[in-house]
Amino acid sequence: MKVAIVGGGGLRTPLIIYGLAQAQADLGTTEVSLFDIDEPRLNVIARLCREILRGSGNPFEIRVTTDLEQAASGSAFVLNSIRVGGMAARARDERIAIEHGLAGQETTGPGGAAMALRTLPVTLAHARIIEAVARDAWFINFTNPAGLITQALTQNTALKVIGICDTPSELFHSIATGLGEPQHEMTFDYAGLNHLGWVRRVSLRGEDITERILEDSGLLRHLYPAELFEPELIQTLRLIPTEYLFFYYGQRRAYENQLRAGASRGEELSRLNAALFEELERQNGEDGLATYTAYLMRRNSSYMKLEGQAGSTFTPLGQCHDPFATATGYHRIALQVMRGLLSDWPREIVVNIPNGDSVPDLFPDDIVEVPCTIDRDGAHPKPVGTLPESVRGLVQSVKAYERTLIHAAASGSSRVANLALLEYPIIGQWELGREILHSLCKNDSQFLAYLH
């Protein structure tokens, strides 16, 4: 079985390769083709991947290419994980958001809108090539903003698309760990959109323990990488939000913390990534995996600290979890989905998929993030019912913004893009939206080509 990774020069790729090697008995991978337009970076990442495979007995071959048609041809799975414009574009988007009085973040707010507008034309162009050479492949989308990109792909291509994100599984894992209970004995009633979802009910061995969790303020404080939500908020809402709701419920605090820190997460990661690749180039293939692992530990230990507490607190490496051995992560979700699609035994996973009648408050073709049964025929969303009134309007507004932004990217209309930002609850102002779009066009020539 051949697997193609679009954006193979990305920093998630070695984790995916490790996961594919570990799952060799189930998946039978024979070749992984890494595609990226940045050939020097691609070669650095490929060296790490081959180092991982040597430790696993070289179960399959790694190929690298800057030709997407060659990479995708004959693939059973295409994993899509691109960042158009690189980390520099993310840092620039987030800085523009901060300059306009909003938190800078890559998937929400102005940064998320900018990333979507920059990414959609490229992703759809890639999809047309993949349709021609691997029409029957499963296209698994990691690319952010994942729900919005997945919606554009399902509505504008014939590819078999499933969007994935590790945010729900991270929250489930945190709840189970906080309770000291095995996660496989728990079930989680979850619903929403990508980076806009909530746990509504938790059961342990068939018993509803939601109230027990909500009453435990100490547990609620430690469910997230930083103290993002006051327990009183969660207890009043009667829902447990995923961490990205912080950029809705705590937008002002996130913005003020970024001001105090003097940076956004994108700017912080730009420095970390530059140091990583400089070190990997210097080592020229020796001890690269140890350097990469230490980088991931440092990156993961600082996640959400800047936005949540005005600075990055790096955990000492000796106290960090091994990123290859963690129970969660994008590579874990991808492998679960791939196993499900190849197995005779269905499994339940939260993914991003067309709604159907799962959430009655949204259109059937809207992409939602809900528990799905995954088997050889694909992902089948489970009915989750009407959303609670306290979050229903927010979900509907964000989905309206996503639909309109996709239309803006397809038409190239700056007015339609401005309308999308007006519909978006984080921005919600016509003049502010226009100023943001003007700044994006002024600072990034790609936007001038996309919008008129």
Side-chain angles (χ1 to χ4, degrees):
M1 181 187 77
K2 179 180 177 181
V3 177
I5 301 179
V6 180
L11 286 165
R12 290 191 187 117
T13 299
L15 288 169
I16 297 170
I17 296 300
Y18 173 81
L20 289 171
Q22 296 298 303
Q24 179 66 7
D26 295 333
L27 301 181
T29 306
T30 56
E31 175 188 338
V32 178
S33 186
L34 308 182
F35 161 79
D36 207 290
I37 61 173
D38 187 337
E39 190 169 12
R41 179 183 174 117
L42 179 60
N43 288 328
V44 170
I45 293 298
R47 283 204 304 265
L48 290 175
C49 294
R50 292 185 177 114
E51 188 176 346
I52 289 168
L53 289 187
R54 283 196 297 273
S56 302
N58 292 312
F60 50 82
E61 186 175 3
I62 298 282
R63 296 183 185 273
V64 299
T65 180
T66 56
D67 182 328
L68 178 57
E69 183 174 337
Q70 183 182 90
S73 182
S75 295
F77 290 94
V78 177
L79 310 184
N80 183 51
S81 181
I82 65 172
R83 182 182 294 282
V84 180
M87 192 59 71
R90 172 181 175 176
R92 186 166 57 244
D93 294 342
E94 292 179 351
R95 179 50 52 187
I96 287 171
I98 292 169
E99 289 171 352
H100 286 84
L102 296 168
Q105 208 279 321
E106 68 168 332
T107 63
T108 63
M115 188 176 195
L117 287 170
R118 186 186 294 109
T119 304
L120 281 168
V122 176
T123 298
L124 293 175
H126 286 173
R128 286 190 285 273
I129 294 171
I130 295 164
E131 280 180 315
V133 300
R135 191 177 185 85
D136 294 329
W138 283 102
F139 189 98
I140 299 179
N141 181 56
F142 295 63
T143 298
N144 278 320
L148 191 154
I149 300 296
T150 301
Q151 179 141 342
L153 286 163
T154 59
Q155 293 178 344
N156 293 280
T157 78
L159 293 173
K160 300 185 295 186
V161 183
I162 296 176
I164 67 171
C165 180
D166 63 344
T167 299
S169 64
E170 290 281 0
L171 181 55
F172 303 164
H173 180 69
S174 292
I175 293 171
T177 300
L179 291 170
E181 298 286 355
Q183 187 175 333
H184 70 271
E185 295 185 1
M186 303 177 71
T187 57
F188 301 87
D189 178 358
Y190 177 90
L193 308 178
N194 180 242
H195 289 184
L196 196 80
W198 298 262
V199 171
R200 301 189 295 185
R201 188 174 298 104
V202 181
S203 296
L204 173 63
R205 294 184 284 274
E207 177 190 356
D208 187 338
I209 60 168
T210 311
E211 288 302 315
R212 171 183 157 192
I213 294 170
L214 291 175
E215 290 171 4
D216 189 339
S217 295
L219 172 62
L220 297 179
R221 287 185 184 278
H222 292 93
L223 291 181
Y224 306 96
E227 192 168 321
L228 305 179
F229 308 107
E230 295 179 2
E232 185 179 356
L233 183 157
I234 300 173
Q235 291 161 347
T236 304
L237 191 63
R238 315 304 295 172
L239 302 166
I240 304 172
T242 53
E243 67 237 34
Y244 285 93
L245 266 298
F246 178 61
F247 295 101
Y248 294 84
Y249 296 156
Q251 169 69 209
R252 185 175 68 176
R253 179 153 64 97
Y255 165 69
E256 290 175 347
N257 282 341
Q258 288 177 334
L259 287 182
R260 281 194 286 272
S264 73
R265 176 67 166 171
E267 291 166 338
E268 176 183 65
L269 291 180
S270 289
R271 293 190 288 270
L272 278 176
N273 292 1
L276 169 68
F277 279 97
E278 181 179 332
E279 179 65 12
L280 290 174
E281 288 283 5
R282 187 188 65 77
Q283 292 174 329
N284 194 28
E286 295 184 8
D287 298 321
L289 189 56
T291 298
Y292 171 74
T293 301
Y295 158 84
L296 286 181
M297 288 179 171
R298 190 177 188 207
R299 174 175 174 150
N300 294 345
S301 74
S302 64
Y303 177 61
M304 293 294 281
K305 299 291 197 309
L306 190 150
E307 300 90 340
Q309 57 194 47
S312 290
T313 304
F314 293 106
T315 303
L317 291 183
Q319 299 176 26
C320 291
H321 297 295
D322 181 349
F324 290 97
T326 56
T328 58
Y330 275 93
H331 62 300
R332 298 291 184 195
I333 301 297
L335 290 166
Q336 288 176 31
V337 170
M338 292 169 73
R339 280 189 171 107
L341 293 169
L342 294 175
S343 173
D344 293 324
W345 300 98
R347 59 201 67 201
E348 185 174 307
I349 309 170
V350 174
V351 294
N352 288 265
I353 201 75
N355 177 40
D357 58 3
S358 178
V359 183
D361 312 293
L362 297 170
F363 296 145
D365 64 346
D366 283 333
I367 294 297
V368 293
E369 189 171 79
V370 296
C372 295
T373 301
I374 297 183
D375 56 28
R376 289 184 182 273
D377 295 324
H380 316 284
K382 299 183 69 174
V384 299
T386 299
L387 297 171
E389 187 172 359
S390 55
V391 302
R392 189 184 311 145
L394 176 59
V395 170
Q396 291 171 330
S397 296
V398 171
K399 183 51 72 176
Y401 145 76
E402 291 184 353
R403 294 189 207 107
T404 305
L405 201 69
I406 292 169
H407 180 204
S411 65
S413 169
S414 59
R415 287 189 178 182
V416 176
N418 205 351
L419 175 61
L421 300 189
L422 177 66
E423 293 172 331
Y424 196 15
I426 289 179
I427 300 172
Q429 300 175 60
W430 179 263
E431 292 85 359
L432 178 58
R434 183 170 57 202
E435 291 169 9
I436 289 168
L437 289 171
H438 176 75
S439 292
L440 291 170
C441 289
K442 179 181 177 182
N443 288 277
D444 189 337
S445 59
Q446 282 184 301
F447 282 96
L448 292 174
Y450 295 157
L451 298 178
H452 54 75

